[in-house]
């Protein structure tokens, strides 16, 4: 009989046998930056998460710097929205300003700028709209403008989350033309049309005003298609590819990470965070153990980068 338990006898040997170990550099922390002044507004469905105006941003940036995590991911909440999402690429747009502020005050922090229009469009969709249709090719130039504008402002990396076809190639070409050949693209490649994004849409004021995102985000039943999406983004020039959400899609992450020799990111999304927080608040689960277990599972499944709202807590627990 093989005795597996020999190597589980106490923590000394268990810790030597551990196959997966979490490290602060595994994590990226999403931050919601809202236009305005003096704002630190709690997101009700995401306990511990706030919207910050730029003048209050340092409160969280200090914690980020001390934590030693890999970087931050920035989402903007503009005051003014229009059908073209013009604040997404405006010279004085909220994320451009936030990027410049962080670069100046916290140059050590690695900044990933989300590239998508839904926080900036009056209709709340991730692209241009004609009637009820979300246009693909017409949207690409706007995404390119946004990516170039944020990279020029100093973002270290751009992360398109819109799911339009062909956007990675378009953004790569746009960045290169602007001389930004060294700016990497982290592509939300297999982004599923998920109910788990609910709390984020409260946080980012980005719920679609009509219909849903099912004509551009992926059907949650599709694993093979996810591999094709990821392959397409790699061919178009993505530097890092992402699977999103995390927990219900670890099969996709695992298979994709075994298939493609690429750095993989996974997004532990708002709804996943909200469920853990809600159960923990009631004392029904042990938050620290559950979070560590979930994040370990994401890394075990192949994630190189884990984008998570738990990041600042997790570094204290691992
Ligand atoms: C915007 C975007 C969303 C998320 C990241 N970027 C929401 C959406 O697609 O509706 C979700 C993140 C989360 O739920 O934490 N395209
Ligand atoms: Zn979007």
């Amino acid at each position: 009989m093989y005795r597996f338990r020999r190597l589980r006898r106490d923590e000394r040997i268990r810790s030597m046998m551990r196959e997966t170990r979490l490290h602060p550099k595994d994590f990226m922390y999403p931050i919601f930056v809202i236009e305005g002044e003096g704002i630190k507004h709690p997101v009700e469905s995401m306990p511990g998460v706030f919207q910050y105006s730029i003048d209050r941003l340092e409160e969280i940036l200090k914690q980020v710097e001390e934590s030693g995590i890999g970087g931050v991911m920035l989402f903007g909440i503009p005051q003014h929205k229009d059908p073209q999402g013009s604040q997404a690429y405006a010279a004085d747009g909220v994320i451009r300003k936030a990027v410049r502020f962080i670069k100046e005050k916290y140059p050590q922090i690695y900044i990933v700028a989300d590239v998508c229009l839904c926080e900036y469009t009056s209709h709340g969709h991730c692209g241009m709209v004609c009637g009820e249709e979300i246009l693909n090719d017409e949207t690409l130039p706007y995404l390119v403008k946004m990516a170039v504008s944020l990279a020029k402002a100093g973002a270290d990396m751009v992360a398109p989350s819109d799911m339009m076809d062909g956007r990675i190639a378009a953004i790569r070409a746009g960045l290169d033309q602007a001389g930004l050949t060294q700016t990497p693209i982290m592509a939300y490649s297999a982004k599923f049309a998920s109910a788990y994004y609910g709390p984020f849409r409260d946080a980012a004021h980005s719920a679609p005003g009509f219909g849903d995102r099912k004509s551009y985000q992926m059907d949650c039943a599709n694993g093979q298609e996810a591999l094709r999406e990821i392959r397409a983004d790699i061919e178009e020039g993505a530097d890092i590819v992402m699977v999103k959400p995390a927990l219900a899609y670890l099969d996709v992450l695992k298979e994709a990470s075994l298939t493609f020799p690429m750095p993989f990111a996974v997004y532990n999304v708002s709804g996943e965070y909200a469920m853990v927080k809600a159960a923990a608040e009631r004392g029904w689960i042990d938050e620290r153990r559950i979070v560590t277990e979930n994040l370990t599972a994401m890394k075990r499944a192949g994630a190189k980068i884990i984008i998570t709202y738990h990041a600042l807590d997790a570094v204290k627990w691992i």
Side-chain angles (χ1 to χ4, degrees), residues 36 51 67 79 83 107 123 144 153 156 168 175 179 187 211 259 281 290 294:
Q51 302 164 331
S67 72
Q79 247 159 30
H123 44 72
V144 172
D156 294 294
I168 301 303
L175 289 171
T259 306
E281 271 180 10
I290 291 272
N294 284 350

Side-chain angles (χ1 to χ4, degrees), residues 6 9 39 43 55 57 59 78 84 126 143 148 159 178 187 195 199 208 211 239 262 283 293 309 313 318:
R6 284 183 198 124
R9 286 195 70 193
I39 305 169
V43 180
D55 60 333
L57 212 48
E59 293 177 30
Q84 284 76 37
C126 305
L143 296 169
V148 169
D239 299 278
M262 289 286 292
E293 186 172 331
Y309 305 97
D313 292 328
I318 58 179

